[in-house]
Amino acid sequence: MLYLYIKKLPILRLEKKHFKVEAEYIRQHLKIAIPMALQFSITAVGAVILQSAVNAFGSIVVAAHTAASKVEQLAMQPSVTFGVTMATYCAQNLGAGNIDRIREGVKKCTIINIIIGLVGGVMLVFFGEHFIKLFVSGSDPNVISYAKQYLFIVAFFFIPLSLIFIYRNALQGMGYTFMPMMAGVGELLARTIVSFTLPALIGYSGICLAGPMAWLAASIPLIVDYLKKMNDMSHLPEYSSI
């Protein structure tokens, strides 16, 4: 079957020129890949810093936070999936020169993710305890109580979290990797500052607010940069007739 495809479609046939290493291609790939790699590294560092702040509250809070974080990740999977989709979607349409299609796709995906954020938040507020018990062995009321407190607080910030996936991946798909990386830096700084200041003032609630403050710090510059980039591209000659 593969042979038939290759025979009918010359574009699939490998030739000697395809194995030639071109410096420009390497430069372009590194220009996109390095900031993306740094952004993921920054996110991981932020998680480690937050975990160190959580550890100071003892084993019960650690267990509660771990379980609640897993529930949060589960609730956000639809938004994560839409985000990955937008990276490919924006890249393909940018290659086709169809900026209006990118704008329309991101707009519709934003609406969908806002709905996902609202539904996910409502579900965790009212049914969070049932999800927590999927990840907690036994029924320690203190663990469940702390976990419910975490989910109750972060549920109100699911919309900015869901939008991060859309706009970060949209920008990266179009080849703009600097702002997603800087948004990751802002996310790291916000999470670090909140993790080591608010808990001393308001206790465990300060830990719960570390993630939401980081999401706000990341989502706002991503949305602003996306709008600016789309406005700039709409005035370029190659896209002005689209």
Side-chain angles (χ1 to χ4, degrees):
M1 183 64 71
L2 178 60
Y3 172 77
L4 293 176
Y5 273 113
I6 295 176
K7 185 176 181 180
K8 295 177 63 175
L9 299 173
I11 193 174
L12 297 178
R13 299 173 189 167
L14 292 175
E15 299 178 9
K16 186 177 180 180
K17 63 180 181 181
H18 296 145
F19 295 92
K20 182 181 178 181
V21 178
E22 298 188 21
E24 179 60 22
Y25 285 162
I26 295 176
R27 188 190 70 80
Q28 290 178 1
H29 279 78
L30 291 177
K31 181 181 178 181
I32 296 174
I34 291 177
M36 289 180 68
L38 289 174
Q39 180 248 305
F40 283 113
S41 298
I42 291 169
T43 302
V45 170
V48 172
I49 291 174
L50 177 60
Q51 187 62 52
S52 66
V54 173
N55 292 344
F57 283 84
S59 59
I60 291 178
V61 171
V62 170
H65 188 268
T66 301
S69 296
K70 291 179 179 178
V71 175
E72 173 200 314
Q73 293 169 11
L74 183 64
M76 277 294 103
Q77 283 310 302
S79 293
V80 172
T81 303
F82 274 107
V84 174
T85 301
M86 290 311 297
T88 304
Y89 175 88
C90 291
Q92 290 176 337
N93 283 283
L94 181 67
N98 200 335
I99 301 303
D100 286 343
R101 186 171 171 81
I102 292 177
R103 187 178 288 108
E104 185 66 18
V106 171
K107 177 182 177 181
K108 290 182 177 178
C109 207
T110 297
I111 294 172
I112 293 172
N113 264 26
I114 288 175
I115 295 173
I116 290 173
L118 288 171
V119 173
V122 169
M123 288 186 64
L124 293 190
V125 167
F126 291 100
F127 306 104
E129 182 174 348
H130 301 288
F131 291 105
I132 292 167
K133 290 179 178 179
L134 296 174
F135 300 99
V136 176
S137 58
S139 56
D140 189 327
N142 291 322
V143 172
I144 294 176
S145 177
Y146 279 118
K148 284 175 63 178
Q149 180 182 348
Y150 176 88
L151 293 180
F152 183 82
I153 292 175
V154 301
F156 290 94
F157 296 87
F158 267 14
I159 290 178
L161 174 59
S162 65
L163 295 182
I164 288 176
F165 300 116
I166 299 301
Y167 290 94
R168 174 178 285 162
N169 283 280
L171 287 168
Q172 290 176 340
M174 292 187 288
Y176 300 113
T177 56
F178 178 75
M179 183 51 70
M181 181 182 69
M182 295 310 298
V185 173
E187 187 177 350
L188 171 63
L189 290 175
R191 182 174 277 112
T192 301
I193 293 171
V194 173
S195 296
F196 291 101
T197 56
L198 284 187
L201 300 174
I202 59 176
Y204 179 64
S205 295
I207 292 293
C208 300
L209 284 169
M213 294 303 102
W215 303 337
L216 289 173
S219 62
I220 293 173
L222 286 171
I223 294 172
V224 171
D225 190 57
Y226 165 80
L227 294 174
K228 183 179 183 300
K229 290 292 192 299
M230 295 303 293
N231 181 65
D232 293 343
M233 284 195 292
S234 65
H235 292 90
L236 295 176
E238 56 264 41
Y239 304 123
S240 59
S241 60
I242 300 299

